[in-house]
Amino acid sequence: MTATATTPAGAGVPMRGGARRLVDRVARVRELGIVVALAALFGITGAINPSFLSLQSLRDVLLNSAIVALLAVGQTLVVVTRNIDLSVSSTVGLTAFGAGVVFAAHPGAPIPLVVLGCLAGGAACGLVNGLLVGIGKVPALVATLGTLYAFRGIDFAWAGGRQVNAADLPESFLSLGTRSVLGLPLLALVTLVVLLGVGWVLGNLRSGRELYAIGSNPDAARLAGIPVVRRIIAAFVANGALAGLAGAMWAARFGTLDATVATGKELDVVAAVVVGGVAIFGGSGTVYGAALGALLLSSIGSALAVLQVDALAQNAINGALLIAAIVLDRVLALRVAAALRRRRFRDRQEDRNGGEVGGTRKVEEAAR
Amino acid sequence: MTEPIPPILALAGVSKSFGAVQALRNVSFELYAGEAHGLAGENGAGKSTLVKILAGVHRPDAGRLLVDGEPVDFTGPADAQHAGVAVIYQEPTLFPDLSVAENIFMSRQPRGRLRRIDRRAMHAQTTELCARLGVALDPQRPARGLSIADQQLVEIAKALSRDARVLIMDEPTAALSGAEVARLFSVARTLREHGRAILFISHRLEEIFELCGRVTTLRDGQWIATEPTDGLTPDDLVRRMVGRDLDTLYPKQDTAAGDAALKVSRLTREGVFTDVSFEVRRGEIVALAGLVGAGRSEVARAVFGVDRWDAGAVEVGGRRIPPGSPTAAMAAGLAFVPEDRRQQGLVMDMSIERNIALTGLASLRRGPVMSRAAERARARDWAIRLQLKYSRLTDTVNVLSGGNQQKVVLAKWLATDPSVLVVDEPTRGIDVATKAEVHRLLSDLAARGVAVLMISSDLAEVLGMADRVLVMHEGRLVAEIPRDRVTEETLMAAATGRGTGRSAA
C-alpha cells in the first residue's frame, strides 16, 4: 500500500497515462490484497500446525467455502447494480428443504431434474425481488429484508417442524456433496465453473457491462438507453437461481434439512462480497474478488479451528476484517481521487505554461 | 426550402409543465436536414426542457413530436436514439467507474465472436474519435476524475459515435477552451455538410452566429421567433431573449461600501482552486463569475465551511473562522444559499415553517423542546416579508414553485440576520417575476449594509446587479472588474482565459 501512496507525489510520471496506471494498480491491488492475506493466513497457520496444509485439509477448506462463494458470485451481480439481496439465505433454505422433501417422497427422482427444480424455485424467488425493486421501486434493502422473512415464513409453514434426515436421501445424491473430481471437491468445482462463467459475462458481454453502468450512474444509464429495469430484474433472477443451486448443494452436503437451513448466511455473503472489493454502492468490483473474499472468510474459520482458538472469536475476527476492508477501500478511493485531482491540475498548468504549444502538442498526439 | 421535404424533427404546439411551473407553452419548432439551428433564451426559458422532450426524457403534456413529418411518441431515451437523435447534455452524464471507451460505446460496443466485446476495436475507435476532436484521452482511463472539459469531450465523442441524423448540443462549449471549441465547430460543420441536422444551444451568442444559419428564441417557455442569423445582430437577439429593458429588471441601488465584512486571503483547496483572495465590503454586491467548473461554487462552499480548505484564511468582520465548520461560519454571521436548492437548500419533504426554522433551532426552544408557536411566528413573519405564495405554512416545500422554494431558502437564511450573504445561482430556474423580486431583495439587503457575494452564470444578472465582478478561470481568480467597466465581452474574455481583464490585486 505504501507504494500506491507515494506514486501520485512522484515527479516525472507522464501525465494521463500515469494516472491510469495508478488506478489500474489500485483496482488490481484489491484482489491481490486478498490473495496476499490468504497466503499469510495459510503460511502462518501452516507454520504452527503443518497439518493445515495437507491435501485433505485444503480440500475441506475449498468444500466449506463453496456454497458461500457461489452465493457471493450471485450477490455480486445484484450489488454492482447498486442493489442488494438479503433474501438469499431464505431462498437457500426453501430450495434445500424442497429438494429434501422431493427425495424423501420419491427416492428414485432423477437428480438433474431436482437440481433444475431448485434453480427454477430460486429464480422464482429472485423474480419476486426483481419485480419489487425494478417495477415496485421499493429500495432493495427493504424489499429483500421483507422477502427474507417472507420466504423463511413459507419455509416454516411448509416444514411445520418436520425434518428430512440424511437417511431419507438417496446415497447417490449425498455422495455428490463429498465426492472429488480431478482432486477437487465437486461442489467447489461447480462454484468455480459458475464463477468463470459469470465473470466472463460481466467482463465481456454488453449486458454485463450494462450492470456496471447502472450501478455507476443510474440516471446516465437511462439516458444511454439501457433497459435499466429489465437488467435489474435479470440480476435478481440470476442471483435467485444461483441461490437455488446453492440450496441443492446444501442438501447434498449436509443431508439434515429443516426450516432453519442457512439462517443468517446472507450476512456472510454480503461480508464476503465487500471484503472481496465489490463497491457496496455499485459500479465496481469483480466476482473473482467476491469469491476470494468468501474463501478468505471461511479459511479464517478453518484456521482458527486448527489453531484451537475459541470458535466464538471467529465472528469478531470476521467483523474486524470487514471493517478493515471497507476502511482500506475508502482510503484508496480518497488517495486515487486526490491523485487524479492533483494530476489534472498539473496538466492544466502545463497546458497554460506551454500555451499554444501545449494545444498543438495535444492535437499532434491525437493524430498519431 | 423550395422542395416539400418535411423537417427531420419537429415540435407542433408542445406544452409541458412540472408541478406549478409551466416550462413550455405551445411551442412549435422545425429542424431540417443540413442546417445548424441555434436555440437562444435566458436561464429558465425552457431550452433544456425542449431538449429533453426531443431526447425522449420528458413526454409533452400537449402537442406532437414529428420525425420526418410523421407523429411519433418517444417513451424513453432509447426511442429517440433509434429515431437518430443524439444529445450532448449540459451536465455530463458519465459512468465514473467505467473507462472512457466504455462510456462512449455503452450498449453499442463493437462485438466479436460469441457476442464478446471487442475491446481492441472499441479502444481504436475511441482513439479515432478523440483525434477528430483533437484531444488526447486514454481510452482505458476511468471517467472518474476527468476535468469538466474532458467529460464534455467524452460526451461529444459519444454523440458523434452514434452517427446520428440529429445532433443536439446543450451548451457543449461551456467548459471548453478556445481551441477545443474551434475543433468542435469544424466537426459540426462537416456533419452539417453531410446532411445532418444540428441543434445548438449556447450562452455565448457569438457562437450561435458563428455556427448557425437560423436561430429560434424562447422566453418564459414561449416561442418568440425563428429567423435567419444573417441580418440579425447580437443586440437584436438579446432583446428577443430578454423582452424588456434590462434596467427595470435589475433594480440595483447605488450604495456606499463600508468596511470589509468578508475577507478571503490566499485560499487554496488542492486541485480545485488556488490562491483566491478577495474581500466583500458592507453594502456591496460582488459577483463571482466564470464558466461552469471554474471553481466558483467550490470557493463559496469552502468559505462557508462545507468543504475544508488546504491553505489560506477567511475572516468575517475581522475575525478568522476555522476551516470546515459551517457552525462557526454561521456564528460569525455568514449565510449561504446553495446552488441546488432541492438537494442542498431545502428538506423537500418538510414543511415550510420547519425549513425556515432549521437555521434557528437554538432560538426557537422553550427548555429542551421546540416551540411550535415560535417556529410558526418566525415562518409567518418571513413569508410576509418575502411575499411567499403558499396555502398553509404546514405544506411541504415540494408543492411550491421553484421561485417560492428559493424564497423559503432565502427566508431561512435571512432569519439568522447575517452580515455576509453568499448566494450561489440565486435565480436559476425561477420565473421572471420572482427573479425580479429576488433581485430587489438582494439590492435592499445591500442597502441595509449586508455584504453580498453572488455567484451567477446569468450574464445579464451579473452585469445588472454587481458593484464589482470577480472572474474565475480554472481555479484561479483572473480578473476583478468594477461596475462601470464590466461588459459581456470583458467578462467572457476573462472567464475563457483570453485574459484581457485586469488582474486582481
Side-chain angles (χ1 to χ4, degrees):
Chain A
M1 268 354 82
T2 350
T4 327
T6 48
T7 321
V13 190
M15 27 195 277
R16 300 176 195 225
R20 184 190 119 214
R21 268 204 300 282
L22 172 78
V23 173
D24 277 0
R25 191 183 311 173
V26 168
R28 265 188 222 123
V29 137
R30 257 339 246 100
E31 276 120 45
L32 210 66
I34 309 169
V35 174
V36 170
L38 272 170
L41 179 73
F42 279 89
I44 294 167
T45 315
I48 298 170
N49 187 344
S51 73
F52 188 62
L53 297 181
S54 74
L55 215 52
Q56 188 51 47
S57 158
L58 291 178
R59 228 179 255 148
D60 284 346
V61 167
L62 280 181
L63 186 57
N64 287 335
S65 61
I67 290 176
V68 173
L70 181 68
L71 292 171
V73 169
Q75 188 73 238
T76 303
L77 284 170
V78 174
V79 172
V80 290
T81 66
R82 204 178 277 191
N83 285 297
I84 195 167
D85 186 352
L86 293 177
S87 72
V88 284
S89 56
S90 299
T91 306
V92 172
L94 255 181
T95 50
F97 185 74
V101 168
V102 169
F103 278 126
H106 312 280
I111 292 170
L113 199 66
V114 175
V115 172
L116 274 178
C118 287
L119 274 163
C125 292
L127 184 62
V128 173
N129 288 324
L131 291 176
L132 281 172
V133 175
I135 310 265
K137 306 287 176 216
V138 185
L141 189 75
V142 182
T144 61
L145 186 64
T147 53
L148 163 74
Y149 288 111
F151 296 158
R152 185 63 71 184
I154 293 170
D155 203 4
F156 269 105
W158 184 14
R162 253 189 311 161
Q163 189 176 37
V164 176
N165 292 311
D168 306 328
L169 300 176
E171 189 50 41
S172 56
F173 180 64
L174 286 173
S175 72
L176 294 179
T178 45
R179 187 199 288 170
S180 283
V181 175
L182 306 170
L184 283 174
L186 178 65
L187 298 189
L189 217 54
V190 170
T191 297
L192 188 66
V193 169
V194 170
L195 168 67
L196 294 176
V198 175
W200 190 83
V201 167
L202 278 182
N204 293 304
L205 291 191
R206 284 182 187 170
S207 49
R209 302 313 297 166
E210 285 173 358
L211 292 182
Y212 284 98
I214 292 167
S216 193
N217 187 346
D219 295 334
R222 206 173 94 76
L223 290 178
I226 295 174
V228 175
V229 170
R230 237 169 49 211
R231 290 282 176 268
I232 287 177
I233 292 175
F236 273 103
V237 169
N239 181 36
L242 291 181
L245 179 61
M249 285 163 62
W250 188 291
R253 169 132 169 74
F254 298 105
T256 309
L257 307 166
D258 58 18
T260 64
V261 161
T263 304
K265 275 287 169 207
E266 70 282 346
L267 296 182
D268 292 357
V269 174
V270 174
V273 166
V274 172
V275 168
V278 178
I280 200 73
F281 293 117
S284 74
T286 65
V287 283
Y288 310 113
L292 282 170
L295 183 62
L296 179 62
L297 289 183
S298 77
S299 306
I300 289 173
S302 310
L304 292 179
V306 169
L307 297 175
Q308 293 174 330
V309 176
D310 186 350
L312 294 174
Q314 197 196 330
N315 281 336
I317 291 176
N318 281 354
L321 199 68
L322 186 66
I323 293 168
I326 292 168
V327 169
L328 178 70
D329 275 352
R330 184 77 195 127
V331 168
L332 285 179
L334 288 177
R335 282 257 158 82
V336 171
L340 287 171
R341 215 168 63 186
R342 270 195 293 270
R343 198 169 300 275
R344 191 176 100 209
F345 210 59
R346 214 165 36 214
D347 287 355
R348 276 199 208 148
Q349 307 289 330
E350 280 173 19
D351 284 1
R352 187 176 302 123
N353 296 340
E356 278 312 300
V357 185
T360 10
R361 188 198 58 213
K362 264 201 214 166
V363 175
E364 280 165 8
E365 266 175 27
R368 256 188 267 131
Chain B
M1 302 299 135
T2 45
E3 295 165 41
I5 302 172
I8 289 194
L9 198 56
L11 294 178
V14 162
S15 298
K16 175 78 189 172
S17 52
F18 300 99
V21 182
Q22 179 101 34
L24 287 180
R25 205 170 305 168
N26 194 22
V27 170
S28 298
F29 164 81
E30 292 175 339
L31 189 60
Y32 289 92
E35 78 162 338
H37 195 123
L39 187 59
E42 289 188 288
N43 285 337
K47 292 171 297 180
S48 289
T49 306
L50 189 146
V51 166
K52 284 186 173 160
I53 286 175
L54 296 176
V57 176
H58 295 320
R59 296 171 82 169
D61 299 334
R64 284 179 308 160
L65 189 60
L66 304 153
V67 173
D68 295 324
E70 300 292 320
V72 292
D73 183 19
F74 291 163
T75 57
D79 287 352
Q81 282 164 20
H82 287 139
V85 180
V87 186
I88 300 165
Y89 292 98
Q90 195 174 354
E91 309 283 335
T93 55
L94 300 183
F95 307 112
D97 300 291
L98 303 184
S99 71
V100 166
E102 282 199 291
N103 266 287
I104 293 173
F105 288 101
M106 181 49 68
S107 296
R108 298 173 296 116
Q109 296 99 330
R111 296 191 290 194
R113 279 179 48 224
L114 292 171
R115 297 199 286 162
R116 180 191 182 143
I117 293 170
D118 185 348
R119 285 216 157 71
R120 187 172 301 177
M122 183 165 79
H123 293 149
Q125 289 177 31
T126 303
T127 310
E128 198 181 308
L129 278 167
C130 287
R132 259 172 91 189
L133 288 168
V135 280
L137 271 178
D138 180 347
Q140 299 185 52
R141 177 197 197 292
R144 190 186 302 284
L146 284 178
S147 70
I148 301 279
D150 285 347
Q151 289 183 36
Q152 198 60 266
L153 288 163
V154 173
E155 284 289 325
I156 292 167
K158 199 196 305 189
L160 289 182
S161 75
R162 288 186 186 281
D163 199 23
R165 296 200 299 150
V166 178
L167 182 61
I168 301 175
M169 303 196 271
D170 191 356
E171 302 224 24
T173 57
L176 301 188
S177 71
E180 287 163 335
V181 171
R183 197 85 197 191
L184 174 64
F185 279 16
S186 77
V187 172
R189 286 196 192 95
T190 315
L191 290 175
R192 192 182 59 193
E193 279 152 24
H194 285 82
R196 309 296 204 285
I198 291 169
L199 180 63
F200 180 77
I201 299 173
S202 177
H203 265 130
R204 304 183 196 164
L205 298 185
E206 75 272 14
E207 291 181 351
I208 291 184
F209 283 97
E210 192 184 332
L211 183 67
C212 302
R214 293 197 303 158
V215 59
T216 291
T217 312
L218 295 179
R219 188 200 310 151
D220 302 334
Q222 277 172 308
W223 178 87
I224 300 298
T226 297
E227 56 211 324
T229 48
D230 280 347
L232 200 68
T233 68
D235 285 342
D236 295 335
L237 195 53
V238 168
R239 213 163 297 126
R240 299 218 194 336
M241 286 162 61
V242 180
R244 64 200 155 267
D245 215 355
L246 277 182
D247 295 341
T248 57
L249 185 62
Y250 302 105
K252 178 70 182 81
Q253 308 168 16
D254 280 327
T255 54
D259 315 332
L262 172 70
K263 189 160 186 281
V264 174
S265 322
R266 312 211 61 171
L267 205 65
T268 298
R269 180 169 157 80
E270 240 185 291
V272 182
F273 53 82
T274 306
D275 212 4
V276 173
S277 302
F278 62 88
E279 55 179 48
V280 185
R281 284 168 290 176
R282 294 169 58 84
E284 201 181 27
I285 297 181
V286 174
L288 196 51
L291 303 179
V292 172
R296 301 167 303 168
S297 299
E298 288 76 4
V299 169
R301 286 168 59 88
V303 165
F304 191 65
V306 183
D307 299 327
R308 296 184 75 88
W309 63 76
D310 296 323
V314 175
E315 284 174 35
V316 178
R319 296 239 309 269
R320 279 193 172 214
I321 58 171
S325 170
T327 317
M330 281 172 69
L334 267 174
F336 177 46
V337 175
E339 183 179 13
D340 184 345
R341 62 178 163 267
R342 299 180 65 88
Q343 296 288 329
Q344 297 165 3
L346 294 168
V347 183
M348 296 305 289
D349 298 326
M350 230 189 234
S351 67
I352 298 168
E353 52 186 20
R354 294 222 150 155
N355 265 293
I356 294 177
L358 280 176
T359 49
L361 294 178
S363 62
L364 299 172
R365 276 185 326 195
R366 295 292 172 271
V369 284
M370 296 294 304
S371 162
R372 296 299 305 276
E375 211 174 68
R376 179 150 306 176
R378 173 175 161 130
R380 188 172 300 131
D381 179 24
W382 282 98
I384 292 167
R385 284 210 228 176
L386 299 188
Q387 298 165 7
L388 187 70
K389 292 186 191 67
Y390 63 97
S391 50
R392 278 169 310 165
L393 285 171
T394 49
D395 288 344
T396 57
V397 290
N398 56 24
V399 302
L400 299 177
S401 71
N404 279 299
Q405 285 175 359
Q406 189 69 331
K407 284 184 182 175
V408 174
V409 183
L410 283 163
K412 171 175 123 177
W413 286 109
L414 295 182
T416 64
D417 193 18
S419 60
V420 179
L421 177 66
V422 182
V423 286
D424 195 350
E425 303 286 0
T427 59
R428 174 181 283 178
I430 65 182
D431 58 286
V432 185
T434 316
K435 208 165 165 177
E437 282 179 52
V438 170
H439 289 145
R440 205 168 306 124
L441 179 71
L442 292 177
S443 184
D444 287 349
L445 285 169
R448 279 192 279 123
V450 176
V452 179
L453 179 64
M454 177 181 80
I455 296 171
S456 177
S457 300
D458 188 338
L459 274 186
E461 182 170 272
V462 170
L463 300 182
M465 294 298 297
D467 291 306
R468 268 189 302 142
V469 182
L470 306 169
V471 187
M472 285 189 76
H473 174 65
E474 296 194 342
R476 284 174 188 275
L477 211 54
V478 292
E480 174 173 346
I481 315 174
R483 181 178 180 81
D484 50 6
R485 267 194 284 148
V486 61
T487 63
E488 220 165 274
E489 289 71 40
T490 55
L491 216 159
M492 286 313 294
T496 49
R498 275 170 268 158
T500 49
R502 276 282 41 87
S503 190

